[in-house]
Amino acid sequence: MSDCIFCKIVEGKIPAKKVYEDEDILAFNDINPARPVHVLVIPKKHITSLATVVAEDTAVLGKMLAKANEIATAQGSPDGFRVLINTGRIGNQEVPHLHLHIVGGPEPVGPMLKRI
Ligand code: 5GP
Ligand code: ZN
């Protein structure tokens, strides 16, 4: 997708601090970290969100999750972390290229959501 910011990171047209890459996925530091460790993991192929995945995306989605612990440990969160995937308007997704947030660091990340 030519106007997608994360596709541009995949293509090297926008710089990012890459922390993991293979033929299917890319992980890089969030530009505005919410915790000491805040990594975004994306499929290199453009997928807009969890609301648009198709059956053939199953393998890459599994790989994103399967690599999360290795990435978190290497970035300084070896004792656990949280994974978030914001989806669509209700999920407050800002960037319409599917991404998994890995957040963590030396301290617990706190409650999952603020209650209404
Ligand atoms: P969302 O709200 O869509 O789940 O999260 C988007 C995330 O992407 C935000 O945490 C934001 O800081 C991050 N982000 C937005 N633009 C860029 C960018 O150009 N580079 C990097 N590294 N992160 C970005
Ligand atoms: Zn994209």
Side-chain angles (χ1 to χ4, degrees):
M1 286 254 298
S2 57
D3 61 345
C4 171
I5 191 168
F6 287 176
C7 282
K8 286 181 179 164
I9 287 176
V10 171
E11 294 161 6
K13 293 176 180 166
I14 291 178
K17 175 71 177 65
K18 296 179 184 179
V19 298
Y20 176 81
E21 182 170 17
D22 64 28
E23 64 273 26
D24 301 312
I25 68 174
L26 175 65
F28 52 94
N29 285 335
D30 195 291
I31 203 167
N32 185 22
R35 288 290 185 279
V37 174
H38 190 166
V39 175
L40 303 176
V41 186
I42 67 171
K44 287 190 168 178
K45 168 196 163 188
H46 181 87
I47 300 171
T48 300
S49 82
L50 275 188
T52 68
V53 296
V54 294
E56 69 183 31
D57 299 328
T58 302
V60 74
L61 290 171
K63 194 173 202 180
M64 289 162 63
L65 285 172
K67 284 287 176 189
N69 188 58
E70 176 185 324
I71 292 168
T73 297
Q75 295 309 307
S77 199
D79 297 325
F81 53 90
R82 181 169 296 156
V83 160
L84 293 161
I85 304 178
N86 297 325
T87 303
R89 181 177 67 88
I90 300 299
N92 275 88
Q93 181 178 2
E94 292 171 10
V95 177
H97 181 130
L98 175 62
H99 51 282
L100 181 154
H101 294 253
I102 297 173
V103 289
E107 304 295 334
V109 297
M112 190 165 79
L113 287 174
K114 286 183 183 166
R115 298 193 184 275
I116 294 171

